Amino acid sequence: MKVPQIEFPKHKFSISRLVYGMWRLHEDKEGTSPERIIKKIETCLSLGIDTFDHADIYGNFENEKLFGHALAKLPSLKSKIKIITKTGIQVPGSKFPTKHYNTSKEHIRYSVERSLRKLQVEKLDVVLIHRPDPLMNPYELADIFENLITEGKVNHFGVSNFTPSQFQMLQSVYRKPLFTNQVEFHPFHTEPLFNGTFDQMLEHKIHPMIWSPTGGGKIFTPKSEREVATVSKLKEIAKGYGCAVDQILYSWFLNHPAGLVPILGTNDPERIQSAAECFFCPITRLEWFSILEAARGKEVA
Ligand SMILES: NC(=O)c1ccc[n+]([C@@H]2O[C@H](COP(=O)([O-])OP(=O)(O)OC[C@H]3O[C@@H](n4cnc5c(N)ncnc54)[C@H](OP(=O)(O)O)[C@@H]3O)[C@@H](O)[C@H]2O)c1
């Protein structure tokens, strides 16, 4: 069984139900040669994972370029993959002394055109505003979204790390449907279940993408009492099904009716394969709540 696609009916577009993330690309112990990156892309494609999550800033602005070099080596990959990238964060360095956000129309255009060049593709499938910018002018942003779509540079725009009210404010101005709100979600960060984030995605009939699904690897190296209890619960359930801990964790995400799309962060092809097999490990409603209870350290009210 391959990783299925998940439909975004309002956008007449689909992405793979698991997405592969590029944040840690430059940390791969096996290196960042085009051959190594192609190996990971091909592993993903063989499993049905065809969607890749970037940001302009990943790897100190290098990871889009590394990925682009790999695509240039094997251009036939370009028609098989979907690319999501993000924009809007300005990291401090030689250009700026202060970390800040920039969602001005000039910066969004500059950044989108730079991502196209670095990734060596003609079009970006989805571009997300990486963080809510307190100085964001939604009217200006909606205009530049429309222009970049009309120019054929981007297919869809969305957001990341927005509160429900920030999402609603931008959506009320932008006349096309925002694609997603990409947010942090894992057993040690369950707020999106309770703060309206996932409710809003259900209401809008779109799917949240979730980042750091393993808590940045914490699931595999639990430290606090609650982390240890959560991992014990995952292990207990995994044992019962003859599955691995990561598979039960990904299965936990798949149960939510909003259609959560986990973004895998591992650099290890075997771990990508293991994650992709989560579809063989369905868990029950009772098990779902027992993981939530262990993770929060308390039963639901
Ligand atoms: N929108 C945002 O603001 C935002 C923020 C952060 C991340 N993201 C996106 O989310 C993606 C995923 O985030 P993440 O990298 O934090 O994901 P993650 O899976 O939570 O963390 C990845 C870390 O966990 C380890 N790991 C993963 N699976 C493992 C396994 N089966 N066994 C042992 N260790 C394992 C990895 O090590 P190995 O590589 O050694 O397996 C790596 O160090 C990023 O690439 C990025 O695309 C978005």
Side-chain angles (χ1 to χ4, degrees), residues 109-126:
R109 171 176 292 284
Y110 166 76
S111 171
V112 161
E113 290 174 353
R114 181 180 57 187
S115 291
L116 286 168
R117 274 196 307 279
K118 286 188 177 179
L119 289 160
Q120 306 201 36
V121 292
E122 301 290 310
K123 199 173 206 178
L124 300 167
D125 293 291
V126 182

Side-chain angles (χ1 to χ4, degrees), residues 21 23-24 53 160-161 182 211-212 214 216-217 220 266-267 271:
W23 185 27
R24 300 177 197 264
D53 183 73
S160 179
N161 302 303
Q182 184 181 119
W211 59 262
S212 288
T214 75
F220 307 102
T266 179
N267 269 310
R271 291 175 179 171

Side-chain angles (χ1 to χ4, degrees), residues 126-142:
V126 182
V127 173
L128 308 178
I129 300 299
H130 206 151
R131 292 257 164 201
D133 171 7
L135 300 183
M136 179 177 91
N137 178 334
Y139 299 93
E140 184 178 336
L141 204 51

Side-chain angles (χ1 to χ4, degrees), residues 19-25 27-29 52-55 58 86 89 128 130-131 160-161 182-184 186 210-218 220 246 250 263-268 271-272 274-275:
V19 164
Y20 187 58
M22 292 296 144
W23 185 27
R24 300 177 197 264
L25 179 70
E27 295 172 6
D28 189 339
K29 290 188 214 76
F52 296 83
D53 183 73
H54 287 265
Y58 286 171
K86 310 183 205 79
I89 300 182
L128 308 178
H130 206 151
R131 292 257 164 201
S160 179
N161 302 303
Q182 184 181 119
V183 294
E184 180 179 9
H186 48 78
I210 58 166
W211 59 262
S212 288
T214 75
K218 248 195 254 174
F220 307 102
D246 60 319
Y250 291 116
I263 313 171
L264 309 181
T266 179
N267 269 310
D268 181 338
R271 291 175 179 171
I272 301 174
S274 173

Side-chain angles (χ1 to χ4, degrees), residues 62-246:
E62 288 296 311
N63 290 0
E64 285 186 335
K65 210 195 296 178
L66 291 169
F67 194 88
H69 286 157
L71 294 184
K73 273 251 169 180
L74 193 56
S76 59
L77 289 175
K78 292 186 191 180
S79 61
K80 299 178 184 154
I81 64 172
K82 294 158 188 169
I83 292 187
I84 298 174
T85 194
K86 310 183 205 79
T87 175
I89 300 182
Q90 297 280 46
V91 292
S94 53
K95 274 196 184 164
F96 314 104
T98 308
K99 184 168 187 185
H100 63 287
Y101 304 137
N102 189 345
T103 51
S104 68
K105 61 180 185 307
E106 292 81 10
H107 180 69
I108 299 302
R109 171 176 292 284
Y110 166 76
S111 171
V112 161
E113 290 174 353
R114 181 180 57 187
S115 291
L116 286 168
R117 274 196 307 279
K118 286 188 177 179
L119 289 160
Q120 306 201 36
V121 292
E122 301 290 310
K123 199 173 206 178
L124 300 167
D125 293 291
V126 182
V127 173
L128 308 178
I129 300 299
H130 206 151
R131 292 257 164 201
D133 171 7
L135 300 183
M136 179 177 91
N137 178 334
Y139 299 93
E140 184 178 336
L141 204 51
D143 273 353
I144 189 68
F145 286 178
E146 299 271 1
N147 290 344
L148 290 166
I149 288 175
T150 307
E151 290 167 32
K153 291 177 175 156
V154 180
N155 276 336
H156 307 287
F157 283 95
V159 297
S160 179
N161 302 303
F162 273 42
T163 64
S165 70
Q166 289 162 340
F167 182 97
Q168 190 51 41
M169 187 271 289
L170 182 57
Q171 186 62 89
S172 71
V173 173
Y174 181 46
R175 63 179 185 83
K176 293 196 168 72
L178 290 169
F179 187 75
T180 190
N181 188 7
Q182 184 181 119
V183 294
E184 180 179 9
F185 182 65
H186 48 78
F188 312 130
H189 185 89
T190 55
E191 281 81 347
L193 288 173
F194 307 108
N195 68 9
T197 300
F198 291 164
D199 302 342
Q200 185 176 49
M201 300 293 98
L202 276 162
E203 188 186 336
H204 286 257
K205 297 192 169 64
I206 56 177
H207 308 294
M209 297 178 70
I210 58 166
W211 59 262
S212 288
T214 75
K218 248 195 254 174
I219 286 285
F220 307 102
T221 51
K223 290 199 174 69
S224 71
E225 205 177 308
R226 204 179 298 167
E227 287 168 9
V228 171
T230 308
V231 176
S232 304
K233 179 54 71 180
L234 287 167
K235 279 188 179 156
E236 177 193 315
I237 297 170
K239 198 169 167 206
Y241 287 111
C243 292
V245 163
D246 60 319

